[in-house]
Amino acid sequence: MLKPKKTKPTLTTAQQLSALIKSARDILRKDKGLNGDVDRLPLLTWVMFLKFLDDLESVHEQEAELDAKTYQPIVESPYRWRDWAAREDGVTGEELLAFINQDETIRPDGQRGKGLFSYLRGLAGESEKGSQREVVANVFKGVQNRMVSGFLLRDIINKINGIHFNSSEEIHTLSHLYESMLREMRDAAGDSGEFYTPRPVVRFMVQVSDPKLGETLLDPACGTGGFLVEAYDHLLQQVTTPDDRRILQRETLSGQEAKPLPYMLVQMNLLLHGMEAPQIAYGNTLERRISEIGHSERVDVILTNPPFGGEEEAGIKANFPANMQTAETALLFLQLIMRKLRVAGFGAERGGRAAVVVPNGILFGDGVCATIKEELLKEFNLHTIVRLPQGVFAPYTDIPANLLFFQRGGSTETIWYYEQPLPEGRKKYSKTAPLQYEELESALNWWHNREETPQAWRVDFAGKRAAALVAAEPHWQRAETERTAALALGKQIREREQTISAAANGDKVTLQTQLRELKTRQQSHDANAKSAQSEGDALYWPIYNLDLKNPHAKAGLEHADPKDLIASMRSHETEVLRLLGEIETLVHEVEQ
């Protein structure tokens, strides 16, 4: 008796898309021109981007036809996906590679003209600034096709052609798949992972900043768009009318990204999550002279994790005030953020607010760093610092990071610190055991009901600053007195030098002796001024070291690893024995 055939279970949309993406990635692994996921995932992204764009244009064409309007396409024939990619038996092999890669080639329509990438990059010159054509041109400015097999590339195109970007269910599912691919790409990228912020940290920062519909929100170093996507989802819950939707889509979110790959990724990421025309500028945010940023360019909310550890060139540093110029990227971004926040009364009742990820070095940095923090604490209310445990940004860096929350308008009076604890029994977070959003629940609860706890404490910064000024002022006054005396002697020195040049030879010796005495006195006043200034500075500037330890924390010794303690004691013992040996040698030499 024949057994009935088993029917295969119907795959869900999520399963179908997951299988499709997996199949495409398996094909990519066969191509000799691609070196790991760092090459494979960007290639998959630009192919998906072109299919998405064509599906989007098809919808807009249909809408225009229903409204009896003429639709002006972003991409024209024969460069649309439907013209060269949609047919499974379409252009392939060397012919396909030539059409995509070469500046000029035989197109799929048989005519000679620009290659695909050359055409797409040229769209910027045919459109107004900020248009969708310019977005597409910027996306492909830094894109390269690294595949060497045109036949494998055709297989990839055929796979992606199975995704329907005009289906809301497929877009929703693909957005989640795409985010998982982004994480993999960032893991594979190594040094390029600077633009990745863990999702739990992003979500926490958005939740406590609580952007409202009608406010403007900016990420000036948006990377792949984590903050903008989370903010979009947060604001989407506030949409109740068509006008609300228009405000969210057109007037709320903006960002900027300097690197071609993340620029393409953020565009794709936002489009997949429902943004119709993402307002993402291309280029280095720091290229603008910050003194030129006016009220109309300021925003209500800034959420960002600016790159740190990098160095900017001299031309970029020149865009900042002379006393706050530095090559450190994070410090330049901090100044830009301060400048970009809205001033109360200019478009809003209250000043703008920011949530910024910074490395530990900014908290304790002195010199230019302290000068920047002085302005921050004088002109802004730095109300909260959340201290994150080690490993939150693994595997990219083990440098401890902090979240700064500040608002424009009024100086800082009290700073609240919250130290995020590690789970019981853990020494640090890692790539394989990352921070979970649920672990931030206690911080969320504390945020709205603040009180001192084993994890939270407050600092009376206004009191510290007042006390430091009282202590430093006498020294600074003495420095000013000494500088004034030195300047007065400078006038006498110049007069004496003129007298010497006009004096008879017999008088010059006496006058030159007097000149030397004046210069000695001037040098003494200068030295006294520097000394007094340093004494005053030593009492004042330490208040801008914000790297404060938790006063409720128990002494670390009892929690130290026994192996570490033994190693520490042995190293101290070795040092003591070395010093004793040197002393014995000296004693022996003296006795001889």
Side-chain angles (χ1 to χ4, degrees):
M1 185 176 174
L2 292 171
K3 292 182 179 179
K5 288 184 179 179
K6 289 185 179 178
T7 57
K8 291 184 179 179
T10 305
L11 296 178
T12 65
T13 302
Q15 289 170 329
Q16 289 171 347
L17 282 173
S18 183
L20 188 153
I21 296 295
K22 181 181 182 303
S23 177
R25 293 175 69 178
D26 288 341
I27 294 168
L28 288 170
R29 289 188 180 92
K30 299 175 186 177
D31 192 272
K32 305 301 182 188
L34 303 178
N35 183 23
D37 280 346
V38 177
D39 286 342
R40 294 181 198 122
L41 294 178
L43 185 136
L44 201 56
T45 296
W46 69 253
V47 175
M48 287 166 61
F49 186 94
L50 290 173
K51 175 63 165 73
F52 176 90
L53 189 62
D54 196 51
D55 283 356
L56 190 69
E57 293 227 74
S58 294
V59 172
H60 289 164
E61 285 170 11
Q62 292 169 13
E63 290 172 349
E65 191 175 340
L66 288 171
D67 293 337
K69 294 178 180 176
T70 303
Y71 177 70
Q72 178 62 43
I74 301 168
V75 178
E76 297 178 334
S77 175
Y79 298 100
R80 301 171 302 179
W81 178 273
R82 71 194 82 164
D83 299 320
W84 62 272
R87 284 178 45 197
E88 284 196 16
D89 60 348
V91 59
T92 188
E94 292 299 322
E95 195 180 342
L96 176 60
L97 292 178
F99 170 62
I100 289 172
N101 298 341
Q102 292 180 9
D103 288 342
E104 193 171 313
T105 184
I106 301 298
R107 306 179 311 193
D109 63 352
Q111 301 295 314
R112 188 163 190 84
K114 286 184 176 181
L116 178 65
F117 282 2
S118 177
Y119 166 79
L120 294 172
R121 289 167 187 152
L123 289 175
E126 303 173 10
S127 55
E128 61 185 47
K129 195 167 180 62
S131 68
Q132 288 183 311
R133 282 193 162 202
E134 187 182 48
V135 167
V136 173
N138 284 332
V139 163
F140 283 90
K141 191 177 290 183
V143 170
Q144 289 181 310
N145 170 40
R146 298 184 186 278
M147 286 192 78
V148 295
S149 169
F151 298 103
L152 289 175
L153 180 54
R154 165 49 66 183
D155 290 343
I156 292 294
I157 289 167
N158 290 344
K159 290 289 181 187
I160 299 305
N161 199 50
I163 300 175
H164 306 293
F165 288 98
N166 45 14
S167 161
S168 59
E169 185 183 358
E170 290 204 15
I171 289 178
H172 178 74
T173 304
L174 190 63
S175 68
H176 292 291
L177 284 172
Y178 188 71
E179 283 196 358
S180 70
M181 290 199 308
L182 286 185
R183 282 195 295 273
E184 288 182 51
M185 194 215 70
R186 290 182 292 237
D187 290 346
D191 292 341
S192 300
E194 64 190 37
F195 47 82
Y196 174 59
T197 311
R199 186 66 177 271
V201 174
V202 171
R203 190 174 173 196
F204 172 80
M205 292 169 70
V206 171
Q207 290 293 319
V208 297
S209 298
D210 192 21
K212 302 293 186 186
L213 197 63
E215 292 184 319
T216 49
L217 187 148
L218 168 71
D219 182 349
C222 63
T224 56
F227 284 104
L228 296 174
V229 166
E230 190 66 36
Y232 176 80
D233 289 342
H234 179 85
L235 289 161
L236 195 59
Q237 299 171 36
Q238 303 171 30
V239 172
T240 57
T241 67
D243 195 48
D244 287 347
R245 185 177 180 278
R246 181 191 58 78
I247 290 170
L248 175 57
Q249 286 286 351
R250 302 288 176 181
E251 301 172 12
T252 301
L253 303 176
S254 61
Q256 185 153 350
E257 176 52 44
K259 295 183 179 179
L261 177 57
Y263 179 80
M264 178 175 67
L265 296 174
V266 66
Q267 294 283 353
M268 188 76 176
N269 203 8
L270 288 168
L271 288 165
L272 285 172
H273 278 83
M275 285 288 291
E276 293 170 358
Q279 302 296 307
I280 309 297
Y282 182 69
N284 188 348
T285 318
L286 303 174
E287 284 179 341
R288 178 81 184 279
R289 188 177 292 274
I290 66 166
S291 60
E292 296 174 356
I293 297 171
H295 292 299
S296 63
E297 300 171 67
R298 294 185 174 131
V299 297
D300 299 296
V301 184
I302 293 178
L303 289 156
T304 191
N305 176 11
F308 50 83
E311 288 198 2
E312 295 291 341
E313 60 191 44
I316 296 294
K317 290 194 290 184
N319 291 329
F320 295 82
N323 64 329
M324 292 194 282
Q325 290 183 4
T326 171
E328 168 55 53
T329 309
L331 289 173
L332 296 178
F333 265 101
L334 186 57
Q335 294 179 67
L336 174 85
I337 292 161
M338 289 155 60
R339 182 77 183 187
K340 288 284 283 187
L341 285 177
R342 194 183 299 283
V343 179
F346 290 85
E349 291 182 10
R350 61 175 183 166
R353 59 196 185 279
V356 186
V357 182
V358 298
N360 237 31
I362 284 185
L363 293 196
F364 62 74
D366 54 12
V368 171
C369 182
T371 303
I372 295 166
K373 286 184 288 186
E374 181 186 36
E375 180 173 318
L376 173 65
L377 291 157
K378 276 184 178 179
E379 305 296 331
F380 299 78
N381 178 20
L382 175 63
H383 53 82
T384 312
I385 299 176
V386 175
R387 313 216 63 180
L388 297 175
Q390 192 175 10
V392 167
F393 286 82
Y396 314 114
T397 179
D398 258 351
I399 297 172
N402 306 269
L403 311 180
L404 302 187
F405 297 88
F406 54 91
Q407 183 159 4
R408 188 163 205 159
S411 57
T412 301
E413 299 288 326
T414 300
I415 303 174
W416 276 98
Y417 284 79
Y418 185 90
E419 187 173 65
Q420 175 63 25
L422 281 161
E424 192 69 32
R426 293 275 297 279
K427 290 182 180 179
K428 57 182 281 189
Y429 287 109
S430 65
K431 177 186 172 183
T432 53
L435 172 72
Q436 302 298 316
Y437 182 70
E438 294 72 28
E439 293 165 16
L440 292 165
E441 188 175 345
S442 59
L444 275 169
N445 293 334
W446 168 85
W447 186 274
H448 300 291
N449 301 284
R450 299 194 175 195
E451 59 181 8
E452 295 223 7
T453 70
Q455 276 76 50
W457 69 100
R458 60 181 166 185
V459 173
D460 176 13
F461 182 78
K464 282 179 68 173
R465 185 173 183 274
L469 284 170
V470 167
E473 199 62 45
H475 300 283
W476 289 340
Q477 287 177 357
R478 182 158 54 89
E480 187 60 33
T481 301
E482 294 287 351
R483 278 193 289 267
T484 301
L487 283 171
L489 285 171
K491 184 180 179 183
Q492 293 181 42
I493 287 168
R494 288 191 297 275
E495 289 173 350
R496 194 57 46 92
E497 286 172 339
Q498 290 171 357
T499 305
I500 289 171
S501 63
N505 288 339
D507 299 328
K508 283 186 177 180
V509 174
T510 303
L511 291 170
Q512 285 171 343
T513 301
Q514 292 172 354
L515 179 62
R516 283 194 295 272
E517 289 174 354
L518 287 172
K519 287 184 175 181
T520 300
R521 286 167 56 196
Q522 186 188 48
Q523 289 169 359
S524 176
H525 283 301
D526 281 334
N528 290 340
K530 287 179 182 177
S531 175
Q533 184 69 42
S534 296
E535 289 170 17
D537 288 350
L539 294 167
Y540 174 73
W541 286 106
I543 65 172
Y544 294 105
N545 177 6
L546 304 177
D547 185 24
L548 305 182
K549 306 306 176 190
N550 186 346
H552 308 306
K554 296 178 182 177
L557 192 61
E558 64 186 280
H559 300 291
D561 190 313
K563 292 178 182 176
D564 294 339
L565 286 174
I566 293 167
S568 176
M569 287 188 282
R570 280 183 173 160
S571 67
H572 288 309
E573 182 183 1
T574 303
E575 181 67 5
V576 169
L577 290 172
R578 186 185 66 79
L579 291 171
L580 284 172
E582 289 181 3
I583 293 168
E584 285 177 355
T585 302
L586 288 170
V587 169
H588 182 68
E589 288 175 355
V590 170
E591 287 177 346
Q592 286 183 338

